[in-house]
């Protein structure tokens, strides 16, 4: 009899994990607390941080799984197009009938060698379980003196609860934060009718436009070369190379009238946004340092300046929230608001038969690494690849624990290649000489992880070559002067 697997969450992570578990002969059942599949992409108020006019900040090529291409032509699809894509994906692999909607999991616990799932319909025991409930559902609201007394007409909300600019027409709005959602919303408000938009931030990040020379920026910065450079070059050199690409593509914030970021890209951070910096340059968005205090409708900032505002929108990140895990699992994982002890965000040696999907703090797209993580789980449990030994898992957990207290953002390319190697599907550059440049400096498209290893596809090379060249970034086998210089660095 096939082993039964409970999957908590019917977002992209839950769906792609179910697809690959099915391929390995498991019987997955998906539990979703919302009324639709898609997770964040469902757009359901209270269960999704997606607003009606939002588009992806990752390109169509990198916001897809390897078995299904998008039907749209938009480079950055709308949230409705992503939801439609996920419905097609669920239907394509027979997962729709396996999903229990409107079913919130109240508790996940161990029972013998299996896993007990308790929900409003009762309790069930499964052979294995996967937690794919999402990493970005519980907004982190920082402590600001007087925040709870703010008297602005529209109050304080999180970006998670933003549903469009209409409520803020003619209003003075303060947006807190410098990550993707904060800058997207600030630009949205400045263009679509707010009377005044002020952004307050602890530090200025570098801001990379969605396009650079007609090429989606995630095709340029999330590459396999970036992974190899991270492994063999000094951090300062990796920092320099990334900063060079980003500043060359769109300049530095101070050139637009925003504060100057830290000279180190790694210290400052980077956010992807197409229109924010030009709006700052036009004076349609004002940038302030972080908030010192709030009194009535007045917000005082660290430089002593004050703004009267009608609304505050907090784009200040998310905490890890897995309330259904029982105390024993929580203790084993040493779970807190930020950290979850696991081998490459996936397995813990003291919790055999349990896996986590999508629980790293992302920088860049999720779809490609989610699929690779799902394949690693399915292949490890199904026997297509040798599972990681207990000793290796414990060593990986210790490495993660040693990093607690340091910035936890994981770049998309680092996560993707780590999962691909674990799943045995990372292509060798030597095996694909005609694709070498694309594999090094092109996008980490999902098709390149179907070139070799389990479930390789006969048309993967043709498809990857097309996707790599689609925007002109990698159109020949000859390396550019910069690429030759970079490649020489990692060879030595």
């Amino acid at each position: 009899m096939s082993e039964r697997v409970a999957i908590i969450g019917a977002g992209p992570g839950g769906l792609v994990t179910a697809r690959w578990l099915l391929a390995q002969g498991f019987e997955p059942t998906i539990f979703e607390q919302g009324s639709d599949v898609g997770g964040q992409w469902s757009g359901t108020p209270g269960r999704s941080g997606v607003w009606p006019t939002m588009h992806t900040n990752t390109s169509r090529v990198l916001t897809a799984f390897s078995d299904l291409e998008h039907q749209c032509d938009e480079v950055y699809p709308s949230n409705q197009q992503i939801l439609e894509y996920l419905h097609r994906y669920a239907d394509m692999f027979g997962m729709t009938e396996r999903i229990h909607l409107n079913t919130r999991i109240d508790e996940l616990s161990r029972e013998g060698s299996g896993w007990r799932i308790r929900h409003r319909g009762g309790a069930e025991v499964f052979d294995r379980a996967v937690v794919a409930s999402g990493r970005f559902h519980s907004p982190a609201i920082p402590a600001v003196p007087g925040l709870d007394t703010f008297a602005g007409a529209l109050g304080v909300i999180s970006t998670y609860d933003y549903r469009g600019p209409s409520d803020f027409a003619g209003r003075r709005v303060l947006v807190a934060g410098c990550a993707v959602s904060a800058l997207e919303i600030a630009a949205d408000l400045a263009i679509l009718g707010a009377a005044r938009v002020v952004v307050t931030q602890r530090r200025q990040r570098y801001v990379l436009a969605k396009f650079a020379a007609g090429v989606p920026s995630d095709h340029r910065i999330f590459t396999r070369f970036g992974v190899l450079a991270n492994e063999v070059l000094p951090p300062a050199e990796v920092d320099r190379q990334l900063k060079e690409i980003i500043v060359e593509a769109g300049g530095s914030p101070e050139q637009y009238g925003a504060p100057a970021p830290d000279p180190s890209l790694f210290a400052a951070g980077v956010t992807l946004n197409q229109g924010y910096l030009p709006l700052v340059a036009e004076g349609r968005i004002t940038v302030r340092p972080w908030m010192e205090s709030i009194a009535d409708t007045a917000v005082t900032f660290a430089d002593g300046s004050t703004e009267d505002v009608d609304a505050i929108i907090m784009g200040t990140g998310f905490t890890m929230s897995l309330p259904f895990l029982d105390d024993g699992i929580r203790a084993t994982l040493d779970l807190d608001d930020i950290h979850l002890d696991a081998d490459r965000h996936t397995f813990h040696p003291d919790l055999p038969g349990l896996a986590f999907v999508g629980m790293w703090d992302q920088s860049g797209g999720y779809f490609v690494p989610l699929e690779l993580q799902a394949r690693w789980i399915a292949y490890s449990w199904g026997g297509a690849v040798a599972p990681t030994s207990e000793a290796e898992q414990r060593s990986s957990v210790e490495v993660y624990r040693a990093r607690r207290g340091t910035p936890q953002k994981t770049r998309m390319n680092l996560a993707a290649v780590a999962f691909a190697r674990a799943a045995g599907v990372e292509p060798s550059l030597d095996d694909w000489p005609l694709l070498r440049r694309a594999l090094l400096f092109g996008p980490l498209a999902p098709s390149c992880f179907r070139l070799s290893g389990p479930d390789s596809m006969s048309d993967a090379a043709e498809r990857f070559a097309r996707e790599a060249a689609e925007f002109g970034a990698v159109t020949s086998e000859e390396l550019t002067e910069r690429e030759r210089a970079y490649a020489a660095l990692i060879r030595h």
Side-chain angles (χ1 to χ4, degrees):
M1 180 181 294
S2 299
E3 290 190 26
R4 299 172 67 236
V5 184
I7 298 176
I8 302 174
L15 294 176
V16 74
T17 303
R19 176 263 184 271
W20 286 103
L21 286 171
L22 274 168
Q24 288 293 309
F26 293 92
E27 291 292 333
T29 299
I30 307 173
F31 297 94
E32 169 56 50
Q33 68 173 339
S35 59
D36 197 2
V37 304
Q40 296 276 13
W41 299 105
S42 71
T44 306
R47 301 196 187 284
S48 164
V50 169
W51 56 92
T53 58
M54 196 187 90
H55 284 245
T56 64
N57 53 47
T58 55
S59 68
R60 180 186 67 242
V61 171
L62 298 185
T63 314
F65 299 131
S66 63
D67 292 310
L68 184 65
E69 296 185 71
H70 284 283
Q71 294 178 333
C72 64
D73 294 325
E74 288 83 351
V75 179
Y76 290 93
S78 71
N79 66 88
Q80 293 92 344
Q81 288 168 323
I82 297 298
L83 180 59
E84 182 273 335
Y85 175 90
L86 292 172
H87 274 283
R88 285 197 295 123
Y89 188 77
D91 290 341
M92 179 179 179
F93 290 103
M95 292 179 290
T96 303
E97 58 268 24
R98 295 176 175 272
I99 301 170
H100 295 260
L101 297 174
N102 300 304
T103 305
R104 186 186 70 190
I105 300 304
D106 295 318
E107 187 179 59
L108 171 66
S109 59
R110 305 251 341 227
E111 183 156 315
S113 60
W115 298 92
R116 184 175 182 268
I117 297 283
R118 182 170 60 82
H119 50 77
R120 67 179 183 179
E124 303 176 64
V125 177
F126 291 81
D127 299 294
R128 302 176 188 265
V130 176
V131 175
S133 53
R135 175 70 173 75
F136 305 99
H137 288 286
S138 182
I141 305 299
V144 179
L147 180 63
D148 58 345
T149 68
F150 177 65
L154 299 181
V156 181
I157 66 168
S158 164
T159 55
Y160 189 79
D161 297 312
Y162 176 78
R163 286 297 175 268
S166 59
D167 289 341
F168 302 92
R171 299 289 191 167
R172 302 162 299 178
V173 187
L174 177 66
V175 180
C178 198
V180 172
S181 293
L183 300 195
E184 288 281 351
I185 289 170
D188 216 19
L189 294 170
I191 294 169
L192 298 173
R196 180 167 174 79
V197 178
V198 179
V199 169
T200 177
Q201 55 193 23
R202 291 187 178 90
R203 71 182 190 280
Q204 176 67 57
R205 296 187 184 194
Y206 290 88
V207 181
L208 178 64
K210 285 179 163 183
F211 278 94
V215 178
S217 293
D218 55 353
H219 290 214
R220 290 181 178 274
I221 62 173
F222 297 113
T223 64
R224 184 172 282 97
F225 170 82
V227 178
L228 300 176
N230 195 73
E231 292 172 343
V232 302
L233 297 180
E237 175 60 21
V238 179
D239 191 337
R240 185 196 68 79
Q241 290 185 14
L242 282 173
K243 180 181 172 182
E244 181 179 62
I245 293 169
I246 288 168
V247 172
E248 184 180 86
S252 194
E254 71 273 14
Q255 295 174 284
Y256 295 80
D262 191 287
S264 165
L265 181 81
F266 289 165
V270 62
T271 298
L272 197 69
N273 183 278
Q274 189 68 17
Y276 171 78
L277 285 179
L279 290 167
V280 172
E282 293 171 4
R284 298 165 73 181
I285 294 175
T286 299
V287 184
R288 299 287 189 217
W290 192 243
M291 297 170 279
E292 285 281 308
S293 62
I294 298 172
D296 196 48
T297 62
V299 181
T300 301
F301 303 97
D303 62 357
S305 63
T306 300
E307 291 274 352
D308 279 296
V309 297
D310 302 303
I312 299 175
I313 301 175
M314 291 286 193
T316 45
F318 294 84
T319 62
M320 182 90 72
S321 180
L322 300 171
F324 50 82
L325 298 182
D326 80 349
D327 290 343
I329 299 174
R330 300 176 75 85
T332 299
L333 297 170
D334 199 10
L335 186 69
D336 62 21
D337 287 346
I338 300 173
H339 305 96
L340 177 155
D341 286 355
D343 172 15
R344 286 159 284 183
H345 313 286
T346 308
F347 299 115
H348 193 286
D350 295 329
L351 299 170
L354 178 64
F356 294 85
V357 169
M359 290 299 163
W360 67 95
D361 195 1
Q362 69 169 0
S363 173
Y366 248 165
F367 276 59
V368 175
L370 280 177
E371 178 173 13
L372 293 166
Q373 188 179 31
R375 291 173 72 183
W376 177 29
I377 293 167
Y379 293 165
S380 295
W381 285 352
V385 299
T388 309
S389 71
E390 179 181 335
E392 289 173 311
Q393 285 189 355
R394 293 195 186 281
S395 175
S396 178
V397 168
E398 287 307 310
V399 168
Y400 175 82
R401 288 190 61 80
R403 291 179 54 236
R404 284 189 176 226
T406 64
Q408 294 297 312
K409 287 280 186 186
T410 300
R411 299 198 297 277
M412 171 265 188
N413 52 341
L414 301 184
V417 171
F419 295 144
R421 290 171 177 171
V425 296
E426 166 67 346
S428 166
L429 296 174
D430 293 337
D431 291 343
W432 301 96
L434 298 182
L435 293 175
R436 183 180 179 84
R437 183 184 177 212
L439 285 170
L440 267 177
F441 296 103
L444 281 181
S447 54
C448 77
F449 298 107
R450 302 296 294 272
L451 288 168
S452 56
D455 294 297
S456 59
M457 298 191 306
S458 59
D459 65 342
E462 177 185 350
R463 181 175 161 190
F464 175 60
R466 170 170 50 83
E467 290 173 336
E470 184 169 357
F471 298 97
V474 182
T475 55
S476 72
E477 296 165 31
E478 185 66 27
L479 296 178
T480 67
E481 184 176 346
R482 172 184 287 169
E483 288 168 350
R484 283 196 297 273
Y486 282 179
L489 283 173
I490 63 170
R491 280 199 300 271
H492 300 308

